[in-house]
Amino acid sequence: MVEYDFSGKVAFVTGAAHGQGRSHAQHYARHGADVVVTDIGHNVDTVPYDLGTADELNETAGLVESEGQEALAIEMDVREEAEVEAAVGEALDEFGRIDFLANNAGIGSLSDATEMDEAMWDEMIDTNLKGVWLCAKHVGKHFIDRGDGGKIVSTSSTAGAIGLPGQGHYVSAKHGVLGLTKTLALELAEYDVNVNCIGPTGIDTPMISGFTEAYGEETLGEMAELTGPWNVFGDGGMIDASDISEAYMWLSSDAARYVTGIYLPVDAGFLAK
């Protein structure tokens, strides 16, 4: 693990109750940052697996504290601007600053575009794209007001670069994250704010295991026949959340001070095919 010095810094991590978000929170803490961990705390009708709970969110906060850093846990729905604005305000009241926004919150579901109902489309776009914008908006305002820079890193996907059958809503949202990233990078450059996104391949998280349980190995196998294996290493299986966290840490560090507006694939060669 590369060592970065985030002493005196504060990270704001969405979707932090489990999976990638929990890993990101732990990594920020290991490098010396205090961490605000947020998650929705309840399920969403169109998502066929359990989302992060309040208890899991508090567990993540405990893991941050076990690294010797302060943690603040906030239940927040990234789809609701009032909740996002209030959470950012609470974080600033507690710590006085935010230095890193980790836009990680996201959901997954599966349906052909011609069969998908409107609620599934809306909940996907609202969570995976609107939520990224709302968090960037309100943390970005803080960066502008403070005037000494900041880092925004968002989770796109390999689906942000290609099409995937049964995931037109997810693909649209993740392509949108890349477009938003590039635009924010231009708009916030004068305030010394770096804005980037990451394109993970399949990751061993509750989202993927929930997908498998909900839709079955056969359905996912049919999708893989059209897209190829998840990666070109080993057996083509999943990578670890920590692999994405390491990319988050680099993009949050001074080592990446001249990196902005990029889509960084951490895909084990998925997009090389």
Side-chain angles (χ1 to χ4, degrees), residues 18 25 31 77-78 82 100 115 122 132 146 157 161-162 171 180 187 190 210 219 228 261:
H18 56 212
H31 294 294
D77 186 342
V78 296
F100 314 124
E115 301 294 331
D122 287 346
V132 171
R146 202 179 67 215
S157 169
I162 61 172
V171 167
L180 179 61
E187 292 180 350
E190 66 178 290
T219 298

Side-chain angles (χ1 to χ4, degrees), residues 130-154:
K130 177 185 172 184
V132 171
W133 163 62
L134 285 175
C135 293
K137 174 182 177 179
H138 289 282
V139 175
K141 284 183 176 181
H142 166 62
F143 289 160
I144 291 170
D145 291 342
R146 202 179 67 215
D148 63 351
K151 307 281 189 178
I152 298 174
V153 186
S154 302

Side-chain angles (χ1 to χ4, degrees), residues 77-92:
D77 186 342
V78 296
R79 301 173 297 175
E80 300 295 334
E81 182 163 18
E83 293 190 26
V84 173
E85 185 174 16
V88 171
E90 186 177 347
L92 294 176

Side-chain angles (χ1 to χ4, degrees), residues 1 3 23 30 36 48 50 53 61 66 68 81-82 118 146 152 154 170 179 191 203-204 229 249 255:
M1 183 175 71
E3 291 297 328
S23 176
R30 286 170 190 161
V36 181
D50 289 333
T53 67
S66 72
E81 182 163 18
E118 188 175 4
R146 202 179 67 215
I152 298 174
S154 302
Y170 185 82
Y191 305 103
I203 305 166
D204 185 12
M249 297 306 106

Side-chain angles (χ1 to χ4, degrees), residues 32 35 64 115 121 141 199 224 227 236 256:
V35 188
V64 169
E115 301 294 331
W121 175 274
K141 284 183 176 181
T227 61

Side-chain angles (χ1 to χ4, degrees), residues 18-24 26-27 30 104 155 198-206 208 230-231 233 235-248 266-268:
H18 56 212
Q20 291 185 64
R22 173 175 284 184
S23 176
H24 301 344
Q26 289 179 277
H27 276 70
R30 286 170 190 161
N104 166 78
T155 301
I198 295 171
T201 185
I203 305 166
D204 185 12
T205 65
I208 295 298
W230 288 108
N231 66 59
F233 293 124
D235 62 1
M238 304 294 167
I239 67 174
D240 294 330
S242 61
D243 294 307
I244 311 304
S245 297
E246 290 294 342
Y248 259 85
V266 183
D267 67 347

Side-chain angles (χ1 to χ4, degrees), residues 165-186:
Q167 298 188 63
H169 53 340
Y170 185 82
V171 167
S172 296
K174 294 303 188 179
H175 273 69
V177 169
L178 175 55
L180 179 61
T181 294
K182 289 180 175 293
T183 299
L184 287 169
L186 298 175

Side-chain angles (χ1 to χ4, degrees), residues 7-170:
S7 301
K9 305 291 188 181
V10 178
F12 188 103
V13 183
T14 68
H18 56 212
Q20 291 185 64
R22 173 175 284 184
S23 176
H24 301 344
Q26 289 179 277
H27 276 70
Y28 279 118
R30 286 170 190 161
H31 294 294
D34 296 323
V35 188
V36 181
V37 294
T38 75
D39 213 300
I40 191 171
H42 61 81
N43 288 337
V44 173
D45 290 341
T46 64
V47 178
Y49 57 88
D50 289 333
L51 300 181
T53 67
D55 286 344
E56 288 177 311
L57 186 64
N58 288 326
E59 288 174 7
T60 300
L63 291 169
V64 169
E65 290 169 346
S66 72
E67 299 288 345
Q69 299 304 130
E70 294 185 40
L72 174 65
I74 304 174
E75 289 186 56
M76 179 192 81
D77 186 342
V78 296
R79 301 173 297 175
E80 300 295 334
E81 182 163 18
E83 293 190 26
V84 173
E85 185 174 16
V88 171
E90 186 177 347
L92 294 176
D93 287 342
E94 178 73 16
F95 294 114
R97 63 186 296 126
I98 297 169
D99 299 278
F100 314 124
L101 168 60
N103 255 329
N104 166 78
I107 58 174
S109 56
L110 191 63
S111 176
D112 287 347
T114 54
E115 301 294 331
M116 187 182 304
D117 64 40
E118 188 175 4
M120 180 177 283
W121 175 274
D122 287 346
E123 287 186 344
M124 177 65 67
I125 300 300
D126 282 353
T127 303
N128 289 20
L129 181 56
K130 177 185 172 184
V132 171
W133 163 62
L134 285 175
C135 293
K137 174 182 177 179
H138 289 282
V139 175
K141 284 183 176 181
H142 166 62
F143 289 160
I144 291 170
D145 291 342
R146 202 179 67 215
D148 63 351
K151 307 281 189 178
I152 298 174
V153 186
S154 302
T155 301
S156 180
S157 169
T158 48
I162 61 172
L164 290 173
Q167 298 188 63
H169 53 340
Y170 185 82

